[in-house]
Amino acid sequence: MKELNAPVYYDVVQQSYAYSEPTEFKCGFFMESLNESAQRNLTGGFGFDTIKRLMKF
């Protein structure tokens, strides 16, 4: 969180990190097209098309 410039400090009493002021973060997702090699790396050696066919039952 510090890398995102959050006002973080270590609270000795709670023995945990805390924010020194109210903080908000926006989270999101992005999409990108994957080539066949990248698809196989993500799916244990199967292409997405193969997985789609296997999931239809």
Side-chain angles (χ1 to χ4, degrees):
M1 294 287 120
K2 272 192 164 185
E3 290 179 12
L4 297 174
N5 297 320
V8 177
Y9 73 99
Y10 186 75
D11 187 325
V12 179
V13 175
Q14 293 184 2
Q15 297 183 353
S16 179
Y17 288 93
Y19 296 108
S20 59
E21 58 188 68
T23 305
E24 293 183 9
F25 293 97
K26 292 184 180 180
C27 299
F29 298 91
F30 67 93
M31 293 178 52
E32 66 180 85
S33 296
L34 300 176
N35 62 31
E36 187 174 341
S37 175
Q39 289 179 26
R40 290 180 188 279
N41 287 338
L42 287 173
T43 59
F46 296 97
F48 285 139
D49 292 333
T50 304
I51 290 177
K52 286 178 190 173
R53 285 196 310 270
L54 292 172
M55 291 177 68
K56 292 181 182 178
F57 47 85

